Amino acid sequence: MDIALDSKELLPVGVCSGSSVYRAGLMAVLRNVPGIDVVAELDTAHYSPRLLRNHRPRVLLMDLDGFDVENMLARQVVNRTVEQAVKVLALSASLAPDAAIKVLRGGAGGFLHKDTPVQGLVQAIRAVDLGGAALDPQVAGELVAALRYSSSLEAAADPGNGVKLTPRQRQILGLIGHGLANVEIAAQLQLGKPTVKSHISSLLRALDLRDRTQLAVYACIHGFRAYAALPVN
């Protein structure tokens, strides 16, 4: 499968990590991907969202292992970065469900393992840039396990318990769970983009969720990804 992005327009990407070796390796890999332009290299120790103003990446790959997720990342760094119209794709060697929830609630558009294969990483970058979401399969599995044993997590992750969705809403929710953006959903289902946007707004209201990233997490946790390929009569 071709992992190249549309070469007509380069996608500016930034890399933030506390490890110079990891930064160098990640940047070397991405610079060999057609359609991606690595415009910023940031050290976690000196990171500040205002540093992005000079480089203006559309997507920032953020190595979580250099941040204190509990005290800083989800509440401050990601949120302030997103406010500057920079999409955040979080990377970590640890896929703890509580960290994933904090980061996604903070505004990150994706959460992946640092050892994600290049093809998967590039696809995640593209999905996040287009307004979609990217969630590591293991994260989804860990979230499911956590929900089974934690009533507090269950309350946070299942606000739509008992809510009935239409077949079309289930299908669109499933596609969001697979990381598709609105334009991709519209093309796959042969619907107008305003129609897709209307369905997503209805889903957010029905499930009492804030954004499409939470919709993607919800879809993964509750098995809606299986509805993506089902026909709607």
Side-chain angles (χ1 to χ4, degrees):
M1 183 181 295
D2 187 7
I3 63 175
L5 303 181
D6 185 355
S7 58
K8 295 180 180 179
E9 180 185 0
L10 292 178
L11 170 55
V13 171
V15 175
C16 179
S17 174
S19 168
S20 60
V21 174
Y22 182 72
R23 286 200 310 271
L26 190 56
M27 291 167 64
V29 168
L30 293 176
R31 281 172 174 157
N32 286 321
V33 177
I36 285 185
D37 182 18
V38 181
V39 298
E41 177 185 2
L42 303 169
D43 188 338
T44 298
H46 307 291
Y47 177 78
S48 171
R50 69 175 179 272
L51 296 174
L52 299 176
R53 294 172 185 168
N54 295 330
H55 304 286
R56 298 184 179 181
R58 291 211 309 254
V59 177
L60 177 66
L61 305 184
M62 184 176 288
D63 178 4
L64 300 187
D65 296 340
F67 289 98
D68 184 338
V69 176
E70 183 67 35
N71 296 324
M72 182 177 70
L73 180 62
R75 298 174 188 169
Q76 299 178 24
V77 176
V78 169
N79 184 268
R80 291 199 310 242
T81 302
V82 172
E83 286 176 355
Q84 297 186 61
V86 179
K87 308 279 179 47
V88 174
L89 177 56
L91 305 169
S92 178
S94 173
L95 298 178
D98 56 339
I101 289 175
K102 288 183 176 69
V103 171
L104 293 171
R105 284 183 174 172
F111 191 101
L112 297 179
H113 195 281
K114 290 169 70 172
D115 290 335
T116 296
V118 177
Q119 178 171 314
L121 177 61
V122 173
Q123 289 174 339
I125 292 172
R126 181 173 181 272
V128 170
D129 178 58
L130 292 174
L135 191 62
D136 191 288
Q138 184 177 331
V139 172
E142 292 290 341
L143 286 174
V144 170
L147 289 171
R148 291 173 180 167
Y149 300 105
S150 173
S151 59
S152 61
L153 286 179
E154 183 176 359
D158 192 14
N161 187 31
V163 175
K164 293 184 179 180
L165 302 178
T166 67
R168 179 65 80 190
Q169 286 176 325
R170 290 174 179 270
Q171 188 180 44
I172 290 176
L173 183 56
L175 291 171
I176 291 173
H178 282 283
L180 272 68
N182 287 12
V183 63
E184 295 173 311
I185 294 174
Q188 182 161 328
L189 300 183
Q190 296 184 338
L191 297 174
K193 286 185 286 186
T195 301
V196 172
K197 186 175 180 180
S198 177
H199 278 301
I200 292 176
S201 296
S202 297
L203 283 168
L204 290 171
R205 290 193 298 271
L207 300 176
D208 192 24
L209 297 175
R210 184 187 65 192
D211 53 36
R212 69 181 302 115
T213 300
Q214 290 189 354
L215 283 175
V217 173
Y218 186 94
C220 291
I221 291 173
H222 298 286
F224 280 94
R225 284 158 55 102
Y227 287 95
L230 296 181
V232 175
N233 296 326

